[in-house]
Structure formats: C-alpha cells, structure tokens
Amino acid sequence: MKSQANSSSAPENDEIIDNRELSIWEAILPIIILVGMLFYNVAFAFGDDALSGSNQFILLLGAAVAAIVGFFNKVSYGTMMEEIAKNIKSTSSALLILLMVGSLAGTWLISGIIPTMIYYGLQILNPTIFLAACVVICAIISIATGSSWTTSATVGIALIGIGDTLGISLGMTAGAVISGAYFGDKMSPLSDTTNLAPAMAGADLFTHIKYMMYTTIPTVTITLIVFTIIGFTITTTGAPEISGQLAAIDNAFTITPWLFLVPALVILLIIRKTPPLIALLAGTLLGAVAAIIAQPDIVMNIAGSKVLDFNSAYIGVMKAITVDTAVETSSTQLNDLFASGGMAGMLGTIWLIVCAMVFGGVMDAIGALARISKALLSLFDSIFGLFASTALSCVVLNATASDQYLAIVVPGRMYAKAFKDKGLAPENLSRTLEDSGTVTSVLIPYNTCGAYQSGVLGVPVAEYFVYAIFNWLSPFMTLFFAAFSIKIRKLVTSN
C-alpha cells in the first residue's frame, strides 16, 4: 500500500509559502499568544471542559493573530484561505478514519467484543504480580476502548480498591493503572490521540501505530519488569475480589472466545496492508454481524423493539454506529466502560483538527512556519537535536497549554517542515508527538489529564508520578532511539 506519508496531499509535503522573510519574533508571536490564551482557558476558565469548543475557538483566534501579522507583511486574504483549504484537504483521510473508528467502537461494544476482552483481562489478577497485572489489564481495556480516561474511571477505580485491600500503596497501583491505560491509549486505533498525531504529521494511521511499536514495546516491557520486581518485594494480604464485576459482565453479555475472531480478522487485514478505511469498515460490519448473532437482546433493546427482525436489527446497529450507545450492567463501576459515542463521539476531535488546520494554514501562508523551521534547523544541526526539540516542545506545551491535544497539534504543525527538510519520514514526528505529548500530560497536576486522573483515582499526581513508569520513560526512549539512529525512517525520494 502506498501510505499517506508518501501522498502528495500529506501536510508535510505541501510546499510551505515563503514570503518576505519574517523576523523570528513575528513568526512565533501567534504561537506565544495562542499558548497564553490556551493556558488561561484551561487553567482558569473551563478546565476539563475546554475541548468542548473553547479551545477550538482559541485556535481560530490564534489564526486571526497570525493573519494580522500576514496583513502587515502584505499577504492577501485569498492566499491565506487557499492555504487553509489545502491544509483541511490534506486531513480528509484522517477525518474519515476518525468517523470510521467511532462506528467500529459502537459495533464492537454491542457485539460483546470489548466486554469479552475486559472479562478475560480481569481474570489474570494475582496478588504477587498484582501491579504488573494492573498494567496488562488496563492496557487490554484501553486498546479495546481507545480511552485511557474511561479505563481509569472504571476498571482503574476497581483496581485501586483491590490494591488498597491487599495493602499495596495507592501511588503504586495508580502508577500501574496509568501506565497500562496510556500504553493502550497510544496503541489503539480507536484512540483520538493516536489518530490526531499522524493527522498533524502527515503519516498513515497504521504506519504510525506500527512505527510506535519500536519505542513503545521496550518501554512497556521495562515497566512490566519493574512492577514485577516490586511485586515480589512487597507483602500483600488477602486475594483480589472480582467476582462481582465478572458476574455483571456475564449477565449483560454473551461472553465467548469466538468473538475474538472479529479483531483477529481486522488485524489480519492490517498485516496484509489493507487501506485503513477499508480495514475499519470491515471491522465495523463484522462487529455488526457479530452483534446480531451473539447479542440479539442488546440489539433489540437499543432499537426499542421486542422482536429481532430486519428492521430492528438495522435500527439497533445503525444507532450503535452513529450516536451514543450504552449497555447497562449490575455494576455501576462498569457502566461507563460499556458506552460508546459512535461517529458522533468523534466530532469534537474532528472539530479540533479542522481548527488546528486553520491555524496551521494561516501560519503556512504568512511564511511563519518556514521561518520557524529555518531557525530550528540552524539551532539543531543534528537529527537528535530535532527530536529533542520536538519532545521538549510537547512537554512544555503540556505544562503551559495544559492539554495533551494541543501538545500534539502545535508541535505537529510547527515541526512537520523541519522533519521533511532533514529527510525524515513523517512517522518519526508522529511517534515523537505521542511518546512525548500524549503520555506526559498525566504527569502535570494542572493539565487536564493530570487533574482528571488524580481526581478519578483519588491519588495526587505527586504520589503516582514516580510509579507512572511508562509515562515518564517514553520520552527518554524516543530520544534514545534518535541518539543511536535506531528505526529512524528516511523519506523515500522518487527518481
């Protein structure tokens, strides 16, 4: 398959407009003002709710600031709009993939595929290897759901309670939960950040996931080894009680290993390099068929029908694909886990991408990104320097803009040209954005992720920070690979 990374429509391959060269201060002024507005918006105004629309509008305000700089440098309104249109067009594939991811999540929920993963995952608990098991369980659930937040707010809370009854430090358990949840969030094609990073860098979704494995698998392996060692050095009391959760899942869904055939077939399609949209569509349709066969009562309930016929099956499946769907169980802790927003649930992320593309388009049009790229390349002659600068920018934006999405969006657009000028494939950038932006957000107390996770789990960031091994180790791993030129893919140049 010819990946999106090599497509002429990919954003890093768009020729960035280079007008009269701006001063470096003119070029970075819109970014400084943008970060300042985002910081205020998250820290003092909307908090966790900033992504409901206010952050998106602030990106448009940032674009307006960039446009003012452009007007002073005689860049026409038409030129800016043309570049915005190019930018939005370049993300069309990513936007469609996001919609398809939402539809797949819906059918995989009502078919019992996601509940089956959780059901079997919960059964690997053991007091001695409890912490390592927490990592594995949360990783499985987060991969299945695509959400570290949902994982922590459901199974994470249960694991915190189990760990407390075993006499294990809350900080240790929370660190293990967060490590597993963010591993799964990073690697899941259902995750919005996993879709956002390649969209910003101009990489293909599955190429991005495959390339992340090089740094992510060693990081999670080290994390598991450390937690296993800790498990053998601490004393636990009693045994974990999960029978209530297992019974709740078993009563609400028909649980069978046969349901694993659907994700296995989707993985096979991915391995055979099927285009992402086709693989996700196939997964959605297979999930719909599995729902009708394995969970007819759930399909009828969603459709509001007492009989499973063609019409009720069609309505139930279509609702799961397109809008909010939830399956209630007898466990209030698990109910949030068994909910999906469908395609509609992805509209917030799509909104964010479109607004980011507006900001990036204006920055392209006025020549700001070309100027910033030139300055960065003069500061960092080496490839390692460029990776280090990107990673540092992600961490700094997590600390200033207080939101992981902006820690991906802004550096993604800012460094795309610099990576291209160094002859580096866009998956290098998308991987670095995730290794440094997605996972470090939870380590900052006033970041939306840090505030959410500490609030939900009831454990302060300071207590779980050192035990969130996967999260703080990830940026160092990506820099290690860059320093020794391990799996640093170059752009393929056509003759």
Side-chain angles (χ1 to χ4, degrees):
M1 178 185 71
K2 186 176 181 181
S3 72
Q4 185 182 346
N6 295 325
S7 170
S8 60
S9 64
E12 86 286 355
N13 288 332
D14 288 340
E15 185 174 347
I16 292 183
I17 296 172
D18 195 357
N19 305 295
R20 180 193 70 77
E21 185 168 87
L22 304 177
S23 71
I24 188 60
W25 290 110
E26 286 177 314
I28 66 173
L29 177 64
I31 294 176
I32 293 172
I33 293 176
L34 174 68
V35 170
M37 289 190 293
L38 290 170
F39 176 77
Y40 177 84
N41 192 57
V42 174
F44 301 106
F46 288 95
D48 292 347
D49 201 38
L51 279 174
S52 296
S54 54
N55 271 355
Q56 285 90 327
F57 183 69
I58 285 175
L59 279 166
L60 298 182
L61 290 179
V65 173
I68 292 170
V69 173
F71 289 140
F72 274 104
N73 287 277
K74 312 220 181 288
V75 180
S76 70
Y77 176 81
T79 299
M80 295 182 202
M81 291 304 298
E82 183 180 348
E83 198 63 23
I84 288 171
K86 281 185 185 178
N87 266 14
I88 294 176
K89 181 181 178 181
S90 72
T91 61
S92 58
S93 177
L95 300 182
L96 290 172
I97 285 172
L98 275 169
L99 289 174
M100 200 55 62
V101 162
S103 67
L104 182 141
T107 60
W108 282 24
L109 168 63
I110 66 168
S111 65
I113 294 170
I114 291 172
T116 296
M117 291 180 179
I118 296 168
Y119 183 83
Y120 288 112
L122 283 173
Q123 296 183 61
I124 64 176
L125 285 175
N126 178 284
T128 305
I129 58 167
F130 173 76
L131 293 172
C134 284
V135 176
V136 174
I137 291 167
C138 290
I140 292 171
I141 295 171
S142 195
I143 288 173
T145 62
S147 173
S148 57
W149 283 31
T150 302
T151 300
S152 297
T154 52
V155 174
I157 293 175
L159 292 172
I160 288 286
I162 293 170
D164 193 30
T165 62
L166 294 175
I168 297 175
S169 159
L170 293 181
M172 287 184 183
T173 307
V177 166
I178 288 169
S179 292
Y182 275 81
F183 166 81
D185 194 315
K186 262 185 72 178
M187 300 305 295
S188 174
L190 304 181
S191 167
D192 44 11
T193 55
T194 307
N195 282 272
L196 185 62
M200 292 299 102
D204 172 81
L205 172 63
F206 291 133
T207 301
H208 166 65
I209 293 174
K210 178 182 176 181
Y211 211 62
M212 276 200 299
M213 292 177 67
Y214 295 125
T215 55
T216 304
I217 297 302
T219 306
V220 79
T221 300
I222 293 171
T223 302
L224 286 169
I225 291 171
V226 172
F227 276 122
T228 300
I229 293 171
I230 292 174
F232 279 102
T233 60
I234 60 176
T235 302
T236 59
T237 57
E241 177 52 54
I242 57 170
S243 59
Q245 288 90 341
L246 294 178
I249 298 172
D250 203 21
N251 290 334
F253 298 91
T254 299
I255 302 299
T256 169
W258 287 107
L259 288 169
F260 286 123
L261 282 175
V262 175
L265 288 170
V266 174
I267 292 170
L268 179 62
L269 288 174
I270 294 169
I271 292 172
R272 294 181 64 84
K273 299 185 178 180
T274 304
L277 278 171
I278 296 175
L280 292 171
L281 176 60
T284 298
L285 296 177
L286 289 170
V289 173
I292 295 168
I293 295 172
Q295 320 292 341
D297 290 341
I298 291 175
V299 175
M300 285 189 292
N301 186 50
I302 293 171
S305 173
K306 295 181 180 180
V307 179
L308 183 66
D309 53 19
F310 177 82
N311 194 54
S312 61
Y314 175 80
I315 292 172
V317 168
M318 287 300 289
K319 281 186 175 181
I321 287 173
T322 56
V323 295
D324 290 344
T325 306
V327 180
E328 289 193 8
T329 71
S330 58
S331 171
T332 55
Q333 286 181 324
L334 293 177
N335 283 342
D336 286 343
L337 196 59
F338 300 139
S340 168
M343 296 172 78
M346 290 296 173
L347 294 180
T349 303
I350 290 173
W351 186 8
L352 178 69
I353 290 175
V354 170
C355 291
M357 289 298 99
V358 173
F359 174 73
V362 178
M363 291 287 283
D364 280 354
I366 68 174
L369 292 185
R371 182 66 183 90
I372 292 170
S373 178
K374 181 178 178 181
L376 290 172
L377 291 175
S378 66
L379 287 173
F380 303 104
D381 292 331
S382 67
I383 288 177
F384 174 77
L386 183 57
F387 276 87
S389 175
T390 305
L392 180 61
S393 296
C394 291
V395 175
V396 168
L397 273 159
N398 262 325
T400 53
S402 303
D403 185 83
Q404 69 175 177
Y405 293 93
L406 281 308
I408 293 171
V409 167
V410 178
R413 286 307 299 158
M414 192 167 66
Y415 286 97
K417 180 69 162 57
F419 270 74
K420 181 189 176 186
D421 289 347
K422 281 290 187 183
L424 299 172
E427 49 266 34
N428 293 287
L429 174 57
S430 63
R431 181 178 72 184
T432 307
L433 294 175
E434 289 245 65
D435 284 345
S436 307
T438 298
V439 300
T440 60
S441 56
V442 73
L443 303 176
I444 299 166
Y446 53 85
N447 187 285
T448 52
C449 293
Y452 175 85
Q453 297 288 358
S454 61
V456 163
L457 297 176
V459 182
V461 174
E463 282 190 33
Y464 71 63
F465 184 100
V466 69
Y467 297 109
I469 299 166
F470 177 81
N471 299 72
W472 57 255
L473 185 59
S474 289
F476 292 104
M477 186 63 71
T478 202
L479 293 180
F480 175 83
F481 272 61
F484 291 95
S485 297
I486 304 171
K487 295 298 179 181
I488 305 300
R489 184 173 293 174
K490 304 290 186 179
L491 281 172
V492 178
T493 56
S494 56
N495 295 325

